[in-house]
Structure formats: C-alpha cells, structure tokens
Amino acid sequence: MSQRLTSAVAALALTGACLSLTAPPTRAQEVTLTVHHFLSAKAVNHAEMIEPWAERITEASDGRIAFEIFPSMSMGGAPPELFQQVRDGVADIIWTVLGYTPGVFPHAEVFNLPSVHTGSALVTNLAIQDLMDGPLAADFEDVHPLLVHVHAGQALHTTDVAVRSIADVQGLKLRVPSRSGTWMIEAMGAEPVGMPVPEVPQALSQGVLDGAFIPFEVALPLRVIDIAKHHTELAGGHRFGTTTFLLAMNKDRYESLPEDLRAIIDAHSGEALAREAGRVWDAVEPRVIAMAEARGNEVIYLDDAASAPFLDAFAETEARWLEEMAAKGIDGEALLAAAKAAVARHDHERPTP
C-alpha cells in the first residue's frame, strides 16, 4: 500500500470516518481487517449483513480478529475500483457489485439474468453456492471469495409514468444495473442508462432518469421511494432480474492468517452467510413496499397478461447472453442449465409471502 493511501486511511480512522468493530478481547488481538464498500452505514448490506458478520467473527475468535468498516467509499476511489482495491491489497475485504467491473465475472453473470433469478435472494444465493466450486470458480481466482450473493431482485421505480404495460416503458430512460440489464431494457424498447446506484436519486430528481431498476431495500436508504411516485411489480413473484454482489478478501491477506483464524472466517462465510444474507434481503422487501404505500405511492402489480411481454424480453436477454458466451468460448448452454437447475433445487426454501 502506498504511503499516501496509508496516511489517508489513518486520517479517516482518526476522524471517525470508519466504523471500528472490536469486542473486548479475552485474548490478545492479532488481526485488524479493513472492509470497504460503497453504500452508507444505514444500508441493509452494512447494518444487517456486514456489521453482524464481523461481530460474529470477532466473538468467535475471542477478539483475535477485529474489523474496521469503511462505508460510502470512505477509503477513497469510486465503486468500480473496489475489486481492484481488494485484489491489490488496498483493502483487506470489499463488498461490491460484479457488474461494476464488466467482463471480469462472465460465469457468475448468469445469475443476473431475469430468466434465472425467480424473486428470492435466499433461493438464488444457495444456487450460487452450489456452483462456486465448479463453473463459477474461474471468476474468482484473483481473490478469496467470502460470499457471492444477490438481492431480492429489481422492481421498476418511475417518477412520472405509471408502468402498467410494456408499452408504457417505450422510450423511457431507465437506470441499468448490469450488462444483461442493458439488454433487458433494450428488449423492452426503453433507453438504458448505466450508473452506480448512489447516483440514482439525483438523476431521478433532475430528470436524467425516468425510472430505475433497483430493489426496494436500496430504494429506502437512497430515498428513491420519496422521489419515485410509481413502483411496478410482475406477476408470479418475478423480478426484473437481480444484481450479483461479491464480498471478497485479499488472497494474500487471507492466506497469511493462522490456520485457526482462517477456519473461523470460513465457518462464517460461504453457505452460512449466503443463508443469512438471503433471509435478510427477502425480509426487507415487503417492509419497504409497505412504507412506499404508506407514503401514498402507487405500487402496481401486473397480472399474467400484462407481465407476459416482459417475460418475452427476458427470453431475448437470455438468447443474447448465450450468443456472447459462445463468442467467448464459454459453454453458456451448460452454465445456464446448471444455474436454473440449482435455483429449482432450492425453490422449496422460498419464503412464504
């Protein structure tokens, strides 16, 4: 790490910009791990996943592992730089969106497809875990993945246009969450606009965007439910795809830990954390939907007939993804089949509405 960056991190710590999680140790503290991400300390990823996860590891290690969590890019840089930061050791651990570094995770991208994700973060998280040691492994060779997961899926939030049919999205400028999201929006006849999610509220307020595909849990801390007047949901629990996230640790930092401390991190990562994160994300969506309705916003639930043209757009997106995988020499057909089979295998764990 450069002297300049080290000094910047030290200054942040002194000014309280980072959130330190250290339990009173019963044994001498041996390791302090920095965690960097792009959302605020009030967001679900921080308050209900990363912070409790860090606390559990600190407790399980009898205080030998401590964490300093830097939300809101407070270690510096922009969200698309987070993967590079953890790969290069600028941060010990990061949480980021895979789509912020296009082309780096071609296999894991399959779970972004709206035809794969079926509306439950828990179900898709467990499906991802099934493939982590198989077809997805090649995407994460440069880091130590702690968790690859999704949120509950995108709803469509619009400022002025109430979307009750696919005709209503024609020509709208909609924020795109990923490459496959771009294809989905194009298949709907709308105009995709790519941007990191923290920029969405201002873009909606200024009319740069007519709407955005984000989950309700993100719409709450970003105050999108205060800006958007309409929220559209599909029939049958479908969502407009999802976003795949990565919680990863610098590979050298992980491997430098004593074996017993690595074992503690392992025990609190992977499938165990996938289940916890899935439950958190699934549970928060109905709560925020109720909050949007209480604000007087219109939540539109499309019936099967109105949803069908959107599902056709999902199929077009899938076909386009398969063409690109073939061009890259990746067996997209096999990967897509494996992802859908894994989702179906865990569908019985879908939470009851």
Side-chain angles (χ1 to χ4, degrees), residues 4-93:
R4 183 177 178 184
L5 182 55
T6 302
S7 299
V9 173
L12 285 171
L14 289 173
T15 58
C18 70
L19 301 181
S20 179
L21 287 174
T22 55
T26 58
R27 297 174 64 181
Q29 180 183 320
E30 298 178 16
V31 176
T32 299
L33 300 175
T34 57
V35 185
H36 196 201
H37 68 84
F38 61 90
L39 290 179
S40 76
K42 295 180 180 180
V44 168
N45 77 299
H46 182 106
E48 298 191 43
M49 187 185 80
I50 295 175
E51 197 169 50
W53 170 78
E55 290 171 349
R56 290 194 296 269
I57 290 176
T58 298
E59 182 178 358
S61 68
D62 291 331
R64 294 168 64 200
I65 302 176
F67 294 83
E68 289 180 339
I69 304 178
F70 294 82
S72 302
M73 298 305 300
S74 51
M75 282 181 68
E81 298 172 29
L82 283 165
F83 178 72
Q84 181 179 346
Q85 288 183 359
V86 75
R87 184 194 63 196
D88 296 346
V90 173
D92 295 320
I93 297 169

Side-chain angles (χ1 to χ4, degrees), residues 163-280:
V163 175
R164 294 185 170 84
S165 73
I166 201 165
D168 294 327
V169 305
Q170 305 301 301
L172 295 185
K173 298 186 295 292
L174 302 176
R175 182 259 175 178
V176 55
S178 63
R179 289 189 322 128
S180 58
T182 296
W183 304 336
M184 178 185 72
I185 291 172
E186 289 174 346
M188 294 175 184
E191 179 182 341
V193 180
M195 66 177 61
V197 74
E199 299 175 17
V200 167
Q202 184 175 6
L204 288 171
S205 296
Q206 295 179 346
V208 175
L209 292 175
D210 297 305
F213 288 103
I214 55 175
F216 277 93
E217 55 90 5
V218 171
L220 178 62
L222 293 182
R223 305 187 68 84
V224 170
I225 61 173
D226 296 329
I227 302 168
K229 301 181 182 71
H230 313 281
H231 315 274
T232 300
E233 293 270 51
L234 297 173
H238 291 284
R239 282 286 178 96
F240 296 92
T242 188
T243 298
T244 309
F245 302 91
L246 172 65
L247 182 70
M249 187 170 180
N250 176 265
K251 201 168 187 177
D252 291 338
R253 185 69 160 130
Y254 172 80
E255 292 174 353
S256 73
L257 296 179
E259 183 177 352
D260 62 331
L261 294 187
R262 291 200 307 269
I264 290 171
I265 290 175
D266 291 346
H268 291 82
S269 305
E271 183 178 345
L273 187 54
R275 287 185 177 277
E276 178 68 19
R279 293 188 185 106
V280 165

Side-chain angles (χ1 to χ4, degrees), residues 309-320:
F310 289 101
L311 301 186
D312 290 340
F314 295 175
E316 287 185 37
T317 303
E318 178 183 295
R320 188 168 174 178

Side-chain angles (χ1 to χ4, degrees), residues 115-195:
S115 57
V116 173
H117 177 69
T118 57
S120 167
L122 174 59
V123 169
T124 300
N125 284 1
L126 295 177
I128 291 171
Q129 288 302 304
D130 287 356
L131 275 59
M132 281 300 293
D133 292 331
L136 304 189
D139 287 356
F140 306 102
E141 292 178 345
D142 293 338
V143 296
H144 179 75
L146 301 167
L147 176 66
V148 179
H149 73 102
V150 300
H151 55 48
Q154 271 91 226
L156 175 54
H157 311 268
T158 50
T159 51
D160 298 318
V161 178
V163 175
R164 294 185 170 84
S165 73
I166 201 165
D168 294 327
V169 305
Q170 305 301 301
L172 295 185
K173 298 186 295 292
L174 302 176
R175 182 259 175 178
V176 55
S178 63
R179 289 189 322 128
S180 58
T182 296
W183 304 336
M184 178 185 72
I185 291 172
E186 289 174 346
M188 294 175 184
E191 179 182 341
V193 180
M195 66 177 61

